[in-house]
Amino acid sequence: MAPAYVYMARCEGGQLYTGWTTDPAARLHAHKTGRGARATRAFHAVALAYLEPCPDKSAALRREAALKKLPKAGKEALCAAWAENARPRLSMATRADAGEIVRLYNWYVRNRIATFQITPSTLAEYEAWVDATLARAPLLLARDGAGRLLGYACAHRYHPREAFDWDVESTIYCAPDACSAGVGNALYGALLELLRMQGYWNVYALLADPNPASERFHEKWGFACVGRQPHAGYKLGRWAGMSTWWLPLRKGAAAPVPVRLQLDEAETAAVLAKYSAP
C-alpha cells in the first residue's frame, strides 16, 4: 500500500493550503509551478509548512478534513512545532550508523531508479562502505529533533587512477517524506563546503535520466550537465538513461596541492553547526 500524507503549504501572503498526497516532493513542486490546486495557483505556494504521515489514503482524507476545520492559530501552532522538529541536525556518520543508512538506501534500491542497483545491500557491506567513505571525504547525516534519519550525503572517488585524485562523485539520498523539508539543501551545502576545504577541485554527480527533480536540485547548486547516456540501464520494468553533472570547486591551470583527506574536528563541527542552524 502506497504511503499517504496530509500537508500544509505556505502561500504568498501567509495563507496555508491543506491537502493530501502520496509524494510530498512532487506535490509541492506541482503547487510551486502552477500545476497544483486552484487555490495554490491563485496564492502561489512557496514552501512546505507541515507534513504528517497517515496509514493510507482514507486516513489522510479524514485528517485533511480535520485540519481544514482548525482555526488559523491552531494550524500555525502545528506548523511551528513541525518546522522545529523537522529542522535537519547534521552530524558526521560512524560505522554504528550503517544500519540506518542502508535501510534508507535500500528503499531507493527497491522503489526508485535514482540508483541502478537492483539487489539490496547488506549491513556488512555498508559497514565497510562507511569506513571506506570516511577515509577520503565526509559522510553526513541529517536527523530531525527526535533523532530520525532524514537523509545522508557523501562523496567518494570519481575514478581510481591517480590523476583523478582531486575529483569526487557526490551522493545524496533523503527519506521519501523529507524531500521537501530543506534536508537536501542542508546536506549538500555542508558537503560542498567541506569538500572545498579539503582541496578537491571537481564534484561529479551521476543521475538517472530522466530525473527532473534531481536535475533542478543540482542546477541550483551550480552543477551543469556535461553528458547523457541514453538507454543505459533497465530497472523496474523500463529503460533509463544516465546523465553526468559537473561542479568545479576551483578553476585554473595551476598544479593542485594534495587533498586533505581528514579535516580538523573543529573545522568540521563549525560547518555542520552552520547548516544545522534554524
Side-chain angles (χ1 to χ4, degrees):
M1 183 178 296
Y5 304 88
V6 64
Y7 68 93
M8 286 186 275
R10 179 77 63 186
C11 301
E12 289 182 358
Q15 298 94 334
L16 288 168
Y17 171 82
T18 304
W20 81 276
T21 183
T22 58
D23 189 334
R27 187 60 176 161
L28 181 62
H29 180 67
H31 286 312
K32 286 183 174 181
T33 54
R35 295 180 290 109
R38 182 180 302 173
T40 57
R41 290 197 299 271
F43 295 110
H44 305 292
V46 294
L48 186 68
Y50 179 79
L51 186 69
E52 179 182 330
C54 298
D56 51 36
K57 176 181 176 181
S58 295
L61 289 170
R62 291 193 298 272
R63 182 59 173 153
E64 177 190 15
L67 289 181
K68 287 181 175 179
K69 294 178 181 178
L70 286 177
K72 183 71 157 50
K75 293 179 181 178
E76 291 292 354
L78 283 177
C79 291
W82 178 84
E84 175 54 28
N85 182 68
R87 175 175 59 84
R89 284 80 165 168
L90 302 190
S91 64
M92 193 70 68
T94 69
R95 175 181 267 247
D97 299 305
E100 290 178 283
I101 296 171
V102 74
R103 282 194 293 274
L104 173 53
Y105 176 67
N106 280 341
W107 186 90
Y108 282 90
V109 171
R110 295 185 179 97
N111 297 285
R112 295 288 188 270
I113 62 165
T115 171
F116 279 11
Q117 184 172 329
I118 295 174
T119 303
S121 292
T122 66
L123 175 59
E125 290 171 344
Y126 256 64
E127 287 176 337
W129 174 82
V130 168
D131 292 342
T133 301
L134 289 172
R136 297 194 61 88
L139 170 50
L140 305 181
L141 305 182
R143 297 184 183 277
D144 68 12
R148 184 173 75 97
L149 183 64
L150 300 174
Y152 70 91
C154 62
H156 45 90
R157 290 190 70 100
Y158 179 65
H159 195 285
R161 291 182 176 161
E162 295 95 327
F164 294 92
D165 280 353
W166 294 270
D167 305 335
V168 290
E169 179 186 338
S170 62
T171 294
I172 184 168
Y173 287 99
C174 294
D177 59 348
C179 293
S180 300
V183 177
N185 287 331
L187 285 168
Y188 239 40
L191 177 67
L192 296 176
E193 186 163 333
L194 290 170
L195 292 173
R196 287 189 183 94
M197 291 166 62
Q198 286 185 271
Y200 285 109
W201 279 58
N202 301 292
V203 183
Y204 294 92
L206 304 182
L207 310 184
D209 188 12
N211 191 340
S214 188
E215 291 194 6
R216 290 191 300 270
F217 177 77
H218 283 84
E219 284 177 337
K220 181 174 65 177
W221 285 101
F223 285 76
C225 182
V226 293
R228 295 185 186 271
Q229 298 171 257
H231 220 61
Y234 185 82
K235 183 180 179 183
L236 298 177
R238 64 189 180 97
W239 285 95
M242 178 176 291
S243 59
T244 302
W245 293 70
W246 169 55
L247 173 67
L249 298 179
R250 287 171 170 76
K251 295 182 179 180
V257 300
V259 170
R260 298 169 61 197
L261 296 182
Q262 301 294 325
L263 295 173
D264 295 337
E265 288 188 12
E267 292 178 297
T268 301
V271 172
L272 298 184
K274 172 183 173 182
Y275 287 93
S276 297

